[in-house]
Each structure stands twice: as structure tokens, then as C-alpha cells.
């Protein structure tokens, strides 16, 4: 590989490894920097159950290893580096980071940022929340509601998103416990009417969620409502009282961001700095689905390739 790779990628989760695969397949010298694959949100998933074409339900770790292997096989290089800073000039684009030998500088003709996001309960993590992720604790009704048809479930939150989640669950769930950390819902009357009309949504106002219980799977949500603590028997809880988080402290004001710290991009996934692209959970600050991150990684690689072709006078 030449000293300055055509495409320098930060993050080896599903978005970054897919970008690396397509970048390398296009004959571009490609270097991926990552602080360690186990940090990938997908690497922590116990089972990946809804990835098209992968029906054997591999662990997230196994699937991300396969993705990395495939990108390496196509010619991409990977290095263990924790990125700590950037300098995006008009021609030179630089990434600073730390590896086992200390501070290093990396240049890329183009950069793809794919360092993902995280999730944090507004406030702090609940007892049971981390242990039961993927075992009934979910942050996405779109992704996981089908697993809990005809089961008692709960939603925690007070936003329009939480109301929409409760309504969506009500279509198939046996009962929806709607745990609301407020004495009212500040949403349009029409939404309140839909919630009432759904028939299976049980509203618990001024309620606090104390813990999520279960060992192999969620069995109950411990709530305090009306001064009384009770354990609501449920199979799943959907948490909508969360803070957005992106893994992008290293950017330090270098790029335009959205309200949640998410990186703003155009339809080609170009950021506010020319030649710098972004993909995956970094674009939202809330968990998406690995297959969406993968698709965005591919799009970012194709956009970076197009940018290089223009710079080379081939387009
Ligand atoms: C808590 C949580 C639970 C989830 N549960 C599910 C689920 O049950 N089912 C499901 O389908 N999806 C789930 N998701 C969503 C799914 O995992 C993500 O949408 C997907 O992994 C996003 O891919 P990504 O490549 O954008 O980011 P990630 O997978 O997060 O990858 C980002 C990579 O960037 C690296 N990185 C970050 N910062 C730096 C840095 N400074 N220097 C170097 N490297 C860095 C990390 O090490 C990591 O490898 C969950 C996500 C979260 C956060």
C-alpha cells in the first residue's frame, strides 16, 4: 500500500468493514483504524437474528469477524488504533491516534468515518439493562416487536416516539404497560385518542422505572407508581427515555453536527468537509440495524471512489 491510502476508514463495525470491502474491491488502497472489534455495538450482540441471508443466527462477534476477514481478503488493511484527533485540510486529510507504540499520524486521500454510537439512558443505566440487552431489553420497536407477539410488553418514555412505539406494539401484543416518567403526555390530542382506542395500552403516569428483572430473559419491570413499588410481569421492555450518543469526540468541532451530535451528511454521505464521508450509527446517534450500517458503508465507499475519480480527472 502507498504511504497515503486512497481511503482511510475510522471504525471496523458493520459500516466501516463494508466500506473497506467495497473500497478494496474497487482497487483502492484502504486502511481501517479501530480501537478493537469488541467495541463494535454489533460485536456485543449475543445473536444476530435478522440479517438477510444469514439464517444461522451467529453471534455479533462471529459475524463482525467474518466481515473483517472478507474485507481483509479483498485487500484492506486493519490497524488497532484509538483515534483521538483529526485535521481536515482541503488537500491533506489527517487522523491522529494512539497505537501500542504511542501517538501516530495517518493521512488519507479520502476519509470515511464509521465510529458508531452508543446508548445511554437519560440519567443512568438501570439495574438489569445491560445484562438483558437482546434478551427482552430493546431500544427499537421496529426491529424487535415481532419477537413479542401475544406477549405482555412495556414501553418506558414520554415522547412522541414512545407513544408511537406503544401504538405499534399494541397491534400484536397481549398488553402494553406504558411507563411514563411524567404526570402527562405532551403529545397531540389525536395521539392520546389513538392510545386510548388501542384498548390494550395501560398508562402508568408519574412512574419511575427502578429495575429490569430476569436471568435468561426479561420477566418483569420494577416500577414505582402512585407511591407503590410493583413488579410488572412482562417479556420485553422498549426503552425510549434515552440519550443519543455518537463516538466522535475526536472530531472536536471539525464537522457540522445535528442536534444530537450526529454527523450531518448529504445524499452521498459527504460531510461538511470535502473528501470526508460518514456512515452508520454516527449519522443518527441512536442504534439502527446492522444491515442499514452495512448499506451506508457501501454507499460511503462508492462516494469516496467517485470523489477520487473526479480528483484524478477520470470523471
Ligand atoms: C446498546 C446497543 C444495542 C443494540 N442492540 C441491537 C440488537 O439487539 N439488534 C440489532 O439488530 N441491532 C442492535 N444494535 C444496533 C447495531 O449494533 C448498530 O446499528 C450497528 O452495530 C452500527 O454499526 P456501526 O458500524 O455504525 O457502528 P459500531 O458497530 O458501533 O462500530 C463502530 C466501530 O468504531 C470503533 N471506534 C469507535 N470510536 C473509535 C475511536 N475513537 N478510534 C478507533 N475506533 C473507534 C469501535 O471500536 C467500533 O468497532 C444495538 C446498538 C447498541 C448501541
Amino acid at each position: 500500500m502507498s504511504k497515503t491510502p486512497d481511503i482511510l476508514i475510522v471504525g471496523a463495525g458493520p459500516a466501516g468493514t463494508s466500506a473497506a470491502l467495497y473500497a478494496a474491491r474497487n482497487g483502492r488502497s484502504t486502511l481501517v483504524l479501530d480501537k478493537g472489534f469488541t467495541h463494535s455495538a454489533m460485536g456485543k450482540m449475543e445473536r444476530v437474528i435478522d440479517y438477510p441471508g444469514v439464517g444461522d443466527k451467529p453471534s455479533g462477534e462471529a459475524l463482525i469477524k467474518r466481515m473483517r476477514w472478507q474485507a481483509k481478503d479483498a485487500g484492506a488493511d486493519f490497524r488497532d488504533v484509538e483515534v483521538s484527533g483529526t485535521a481536515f485540510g482541503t488537500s491533506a486529510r489527517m487522523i491522529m491516534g494512539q497505537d501500542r507504540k504511542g501517538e501516530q499520524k495517518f493521512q488519507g486521500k479520502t476519509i470515511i468515518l464509521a465510529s458508531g454510537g452508543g446508548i445511554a439512558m437519560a440519567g443512568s443505566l438501570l439495574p438489569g439493562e445491560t445484562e438483558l440487552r437482546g434478551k427482552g431489553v430493546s431500544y427499537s420497536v421496529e426491529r424487535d416487536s415481532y419477537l413479542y407477539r401475544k406477549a405482555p410488553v412495556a414501553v418506558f418514555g414520554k415522547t412522541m416516539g414512545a407513544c408511537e412505539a406503544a401504538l405499534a406494539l399494541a397491534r400484536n401484543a397481549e398488553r402494553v404497560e406504558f411507563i411514563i416518567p411524567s404526570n402527562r403526555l405532551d403529545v397531540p390530542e389525536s395521539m392520546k385518542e389513538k392510545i386510548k382506542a388501542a384498548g390494550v395500552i395501560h398508562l402508568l403516569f408519574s412512574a419511575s422505572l427502578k429495575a429490569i428483572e430476569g436471568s435468561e430473559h426479561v420477566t418483569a419491570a420494577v416500577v414505582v407508581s402512585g407511591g407503590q413499588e410493583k413488579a410488572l410481569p412482562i417479556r420485553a421492555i422498549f426503552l425510549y427515555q434515552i440519550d443519543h450518543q455518537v463516538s466522535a469526540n475526536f472530531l472536536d468541532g471539525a464537522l457540522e453536527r445535528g442536534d444530537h451530535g450526529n454527523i450531518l451528511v448529504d445524499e452521498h454521505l459527504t460531510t461538511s468537509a470535502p473528501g470526508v464521508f460518514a456512515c452508520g450509527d454516527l449519522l443518527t446517534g441512536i442504534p439502527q440495524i446492522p444491515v442499514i450500517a452495512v448499506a451506508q458503508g457501501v454507499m460511503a465507499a462508492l462516494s469516496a471512489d467517485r470523489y477520487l475519480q473526479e480528483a484524478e480527472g477520470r470523471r
Side-chain angles (χ1 to χ4, degrees):
M1 183 188 297
S2 70
K3 263 203 143 148
T4 302
D6 293 324
I7 304 185
L8 177 58
I9 299 171
V10 179
T17 44
S18 310
L21 173 65
Y22 273 71
R25 281 265 180 272
N26 274 335
R28 296 294 180 185
S29 53
T30 306
L31 175 61
V32 188
L33 309 178
D34 194 286
K35 62 183 179 184
F37 77 86
T38 48
H39 291 279
S40 160
M42 195 173 84
K44 290 180 201 146
M45 281 164 58
E46 200 180 359
R47 295 275 152 226
V48 182
I49 44 177
D50 46 11
Y51 196 92
V54 181
D56 57 340
K57 301 186 180 127
S59 66
E61 184 175 333
L63 188 56
I64 196 74
K65 273 185 175 162
R66 281 191 224 167
M67 287 181 177
R68 272 193 157 197
W69 173 86
Q70 200 179 4
K72 274 186 191 162
D73 191 52
D77 275 344
F78 285 74
R79 280 185 61 177
D80 280 341
V81 174
E82 174 142 20
V83 171
S84 52
T86 57
F88 300 142
T90 40
S91 54
R93 294 170 190 91
M94 192 91 80
I95 297 280
M96 279 72 83
Q98 185 98 19
D99 69 4
R100 273 180 296 133
K101 293 187 201 140
E103 282 291 326
Q104 308 285 340
K105 283 185 180 164
F106 303 88
Q107 267 202 334
K109 291 180 191 162
T110 59
I111 307 259
I112 296 178
L113 300 170
S115 50
I119 203 152
M121 283 293 291
S124 57
L125 279 170
L126 292 161
E129 182 185 342
T130 310
E131 304 84 317
L132 291 163
R133 271 183 192 160
K135 300 173 184 171
V137 170
S138 173
Y139 307 91
S140 171
V141 161
E142 292 85 354
R143 193 178 59 215
D144 294 332
S145 63
Y146 78 99
L147 294 166
Y148 302 105
R149 289 192 182 121
K150 310 260 176 276
V153 297
V155 172
F156 178 53
K158 60 181 179 182
T159 58
M160 191 67 177
C163 292
E164 281 163 359
L167 267 185
L169 286 163
R171 285 205 291 270
N172 294 306
E174 176 197 296
R175 187 177 74 254
V176 182
E177 303 284 1
F178 194 175
I179 306 161
I180 303 163
S182 170
N183 61 3
R184 61 177 196 278
L185 282 171
D186 287 324
V187 295
E189 277 309 310
S190 56
M191 174 54 89
K192 290 181 195 166
E193 278 157 25
K194 281 186 201 165
I195 287 175
K196 206 167 153 198
V200 293
I201 304 176
H202 178 214
L203 301 167
L204 287 140
F205 284 104
S206 304
S208 54
L209 180 59
K210 293 290 171 198
I212 302 164
E213 291 184 341
S215 52
E216 290 305 301
H217 207 278
V218 167
T219 53
V222 180
V223 298
V224 174
S225 171
Q228 279 200 325
E229 183 170 302
K230 49 190 164 190
L232 305 170
I234 48 161
R235 281 288 290 162
I237 184 158
F238 293 83
L239 301 173
Y240 279 78
Q241 190 73 0
I242 54 173
D243 282 338
H244 293 65
Q245 257 187 10
V246 288
S247 306
N249 289 345
F250 56 84
L251 284 172
D252 196 24
L255 298 177
E256 279 177 24
R257 308 269 203 118
D259 292 344
H260 305 298
N262 51 304
I263 309 295
L264 295 178
V265 289
D266 66 11
E267 70 272 27
H268 304 295
L269 304 186
T270 310
T271 67
S272 53
V276 180
F277 305 85
C279 51
D281 282 4
L282 205 47
L283 303 185
T284 54
I286 48 168
Q288 304 185 77
I289 306 173
V291 77
I292 292 179
V294 163
Q296 291 173 344
V298 173
M299 277 174 66
L302 298 180
S303 295
D305 185 61
R306 214 172 296 125
Y307 180 90
L308 287 164
Q309 286 189 44
E310 274 164 18
E312 290 155 357
R314 290 203 277 133
R315 282 179 79 95

